[in-house]
Amino acid sequence: MKSALPLFALAALATTSIFGALSAAPIDAALPGTAAQLSVPAPAPAPATETSANLLFANRPAPAPVTTSTAPVRLADGHGHGGWFFGMFDDDDDDDDDDDHGGRHGHHGDHDGRNCPPGATNCAQSPAAAGTTDAPANGLFTPGTKPQVQSN
Amino acid sequence: MKPLYAPLALTTALVPAMAAATPVTFTTQMTNYGGDGAYLAYYVTDASGAYLGSLWMAGGKAKYYQHLSGWYAATGGNTAQVDGITGASVGAGRNLTITLDLQDALFDAGYVLHVDSSVEKMSDQPNDVVIPLTSANLGQKMPGKRYVQSVTVSK
Amino acid sequence: MLRFFHRWPGLLALVLVLLLAVTGAALSLYPMAERLAVPQAESNLSVADLATRVATAHPGIEQIRRAPSGRVVAWWFEGGTPGAAVIDPATGAEIGSPDPAFGLRFLTDLHRKLMLGDGGRITAAVGAGLMLLLSVSGAFLVARRMGGWNRWFARARGPLASRLHTELARFAIGGLVLSSVTGLWMTASVFSLIPDGATDPAPESALPGLAPLPLAEIPLFAETPASALKELSFPSSDLPGDSFKLTTDGGAARIDPGTGQMLSFTTPGFFERVTEVMVMLHTGQGAETLGLILGLMALAVPVLGWTGFTQWRSAQTYGSRIKANAAPMKAQTVILVASEGGSTWGFARTLHKGLTAAGLAVHTGALSRFDPARFPHAERFAILAATYGEGEAPTAARGVAERIARLKTPPKAPFAVLGFGDRSFPAFCGYAETLVAAARTAGWAEMMPMGRVDRQSAQDFTRWSRDFGAAIGVPLDLTHLPERPSTEALTLVSRRDYGAEVQAPTTILRFALPSYTLLHRLAGKGFSCFEAGDLIGILPRGSEVPRFYSLASSARDGFLEICVRRHPGGLCSGQLTDLAPGDRIEGFLRRNPGFRPQPGRKPVILIGAGTGIGPLAGFLRANRRHRPMHLYFGARSPQSDLLYGEDCALWQQSGQLTRLTTAFSRSEARSYVQDALRADAEAVAKLIKGGAQIMVCGGREMAEAVRDALSEIAARVGESPASLKEKGRYVEDVY
């Protein structure tokens, strides 16, 4: 059974490392909202040693969420995210804004197979190289012309 | 994504006057920063910083575009913005010359050229070079901050 | 089929996989070195503390990054020039250049893309895929060999190369699978085949006109521990409305520098997290100890490559492949083979074919891998055993008899042994007898009395097959047609004749080597790769039975040399000694790994008489490192049959031969080589005490006389030929 030891050691180390990596505290908070709120001085910072899972406002009442952004808004809820994949639970939340995707499990980014910033599309696909297609019609280029490039 | 609509406005503004177009050459000299090839994004904004469009992307892997943080924030990483104007990344100490057929109306109208740069395992440098697109700046060597030593725009 | 999937990717990918493994092992050292070299921050340090320290020293700060090792690097732009440094998080002081460690970029480039572009990346990924294929097919082969998945970790048996291959594979397989899977994932990620792009918090403008808050007053900075920091980008003073961007293990956020409020944030997606874990597991960045272990496991790959290659080549050479071989788990009849040269495998194939044709599920395998637990459905075992030297086990089956004798529970199925040998030797089928005795000791039931085949006699074999068939109730009448080994034509280039005057006509024949392509050389085909002491089998015209001669040269010498004494009426020796330069003869190579000088610098005592000097002369010729070698050579007359006399003088001058002692039986002294040893007893004993290896080559009578003389001499230093033999320090090539 001596031969099994390296495999056990490896499995133990890899598991520890994976758990260690996934136990990071998420940046996860309700957005501070309106200009009126913003003109109010920032609340006093919590002690620097605060390291609970919901790091940011864990011991503060969460401000009301606002909808100025299309970013997925999540409340400091009790899902116990500290220590596992956050994305695993995301779409199961009742307060999720993707009601039309009812029973679908997965992450927000899965909807179009990409992981783009909110509202953006086409950000994971590498662009077409120069010469293989026309320059974009952004009004800067003379239509139909090809760029020339030289590197030394 | 408000900035995305700006190019359309520019198009309609420029197309009627499109008679005037000239090849413009952008000559970029890189510093010897001692790292892998740099990704460079060349894009134009108006004087207020609103994005108009991209001129060139050096570096072909979309995965790394988020490190060109000014360009990425402006475009949301939409690679359609650089379709057909994308080439290879540029090594340390190398020289890159791009010649583009651009609308004359781009010059002396308050528009600004930005070059964002990024190198693996090194810092991201948004606005490594910022050049107001004026006739006075044509042919001038404009110094860069970190990875770009200089960019010269000439007609 | 499984073997096919294990072997071909293995051979084709050897170079690629080796490169990836070696560079990977070297790269595994960097993360640990970096962690040990950088000062670690105090555990309660916050991002605000760290950023304040850096910003105080460098007001033009643009970006701070922290690597999983704890290494903090800051970039700034001040007075019109950019700057960067590694920062001590405890003080904010600069402690060095952020340039990558020596060799890191080169090794990374080589490992990741073979210094090429995307083509190199894809090639490296193919290498990782092949590694994965090898690991998985290898795991199945280990399971099959050990007799099931539940015995996967049982003790490995068999010859050294195959045992080492199994042991190392079991040691390294976890790391190799992990490294190749994570490597493939990373390549897929680079080519955007996985939706793992990092999300960027939505761009939001900061409130204009506010003075920047002190860093310590920004809540997110004060609350985030520095150990969670990945990157902090400072707002550019040239861009009104620009914000901080903080990236931690848990996501990214934009922060208004004037109000300290978070403007937008994002948390990593599922695939982004997976990719982060994959990168950590592959590179060891953030898991340094794991990285070192993976590196160590990767180092097993070169040895696995070599032992795997050796096995493949020996299977090619000995032709131990069996058609329609039943799985060990299902076999009713098990044929076990202990072969020295490979001819016993030929008989095993005939038996296998005959029994399979009779409708039995037959498995044929090497005796060296014998383990009763592998054959749960066996109804009978047939053991075909050759004998090596004087009743010893063939090289490939050493130790098996001892293992059988120690079996606590012998197999329920009975066994039959068929021995192969040469009746002219005293211990005819000696090893087969040893096996029967061992089986009896263990209480293993015998099916029938032991059979014997003399000099590959087809009649002996047919007779035994009838008896075996009767014993198992299957009519068998097998005719063994010896497989003619594939031979190559060798052309004689020169000959030197000796001994005619003393009635011992002997010739040293030197042949040119056939030319080989690089691929043939790599695969060890034919005579492309051999050592002095290996054997050449020669098929004389008019006979199907090969005669073997020891080689007096190695492939590196560029020629093939043998010593042949012409026997009156000898078919093969007659044909050989009649050859004139330009004539050709058909021959094939048979390895003889048991008769080689042990590696190292310890002295070697070479003892031979007559044509027995052949391989010994080969060892001397190959002794370019001037290891102490003492030659005792017996001949008839110094004027007539002192083979290699001129060469020995030259080798002595060059230091390849330390001392030459001769004995001549037809001189006045009438001395034999054993007499020369006795006369030199003190020196020989001293050499033995000093760890010398003894190599004897020649006729049987001479070998016996030498053994007697040496047991007297070795006794002086508490050794015996037997004790030396156990340590591989007494080897004989006797004919």
Side-chain angles (χ1 to χ4, degrees), chain C residues 206-207 210-213 218 242 244 255-261:
Chain C
L207 279 185
L210 290 176
L213 277 179
I218 295 174
D242 202 11
F244 283 104
I255 296 120
D256 188 318
T259 65
Q261 294 292 339

Side-chain angles (χ1 to χ4, degrees), chain C residues 21-38:
Chain C
V22 172
T23 51
L27 283 168
S28 73
L29 301 173
Y30 284 90
M32 184 56 98
E34 184 176 297
R35 172 170 289 264
L36 295 177
V38 299

Side-chain angles (χ1 to χ4, degrees), chain B residues 129-153:
Chain B
V129 187
V130 179
I131 308 175
L133 293 172
T134 63
S135 302
N137 281 339
L138 282 175
Q140 301 287 323
K141 247 188 198 173
M142 305 300 277
K145 285 174 83 176
R146 194 174 295 272
Y147 306 114
V148 175
Q149 190 175 340
S150 67
V151 173
T152 311
V153 185

Side-chain angles (χ1 to χ4, degrees), chain C residues 524-594:
Chain C
K525 186 179 183 284
F527 293 102
S528 65
C529 168
F530 61 88
E531 298 289 327
D534 281 345
L535 307 172
I536 181 173
I538 304 230
L539 284 168
R541 283 179 300 279
S543 170
E544 285 295 311
V545 182
R547 319 296 202 268
F548 291 96
Y549 297 88
S550 293
L551 294 177
S553 63
S554 71
R556 280 174 59 181
D557 297 322
F559 53 82
L560 186 147
E561 199 166 87
I562 52 174
C563 297
V564 184
R565 174 155 170 212
R566 185 183 184 108
H567 294 278
L571 179 69
C572 194
S573 69
Q575 286 178 14
L576 280 171
T577 49
D578 281 345
L579 290 175
D583 289 350
R584 290 148 80 91
I585 190 101
E586 291 288 321
F588 61 94
L589 182 74
R590 177 173 293 180
R591 289 179 204 289
N592 187 16

Side-chain angles (χ1 to χ4, degrees), chain B residues 61 63 66 120 145-146, chain C residues 62 76 112 118 189 198:
Chain B
K61 294 210 165 53
K63 188 178 168 61
Q66 57 153 328
E120 189 188 358
K145 285 174 83 176
R146 194 174 295 272
Chain C
E62 291 188 329
W76 59 83
R112 182 196 280 172
D118 280 355
S189 165

Side-chain angles (χ1 to χ4, degrees), chain A residues 24 27 29 32 55-56 60 115 124, chain C residues 192 199 220 223 249-250 262 265 267:
Chain A
I27 285 199
L55 184 68
L56 297 175
R60 232 175 288 150
N115 210 348
Chain C
S192 294
T199 54
L220 190 62
E223 291 167 27
D249 294 333
M262 204 187 319
F265 75 90
T267 49

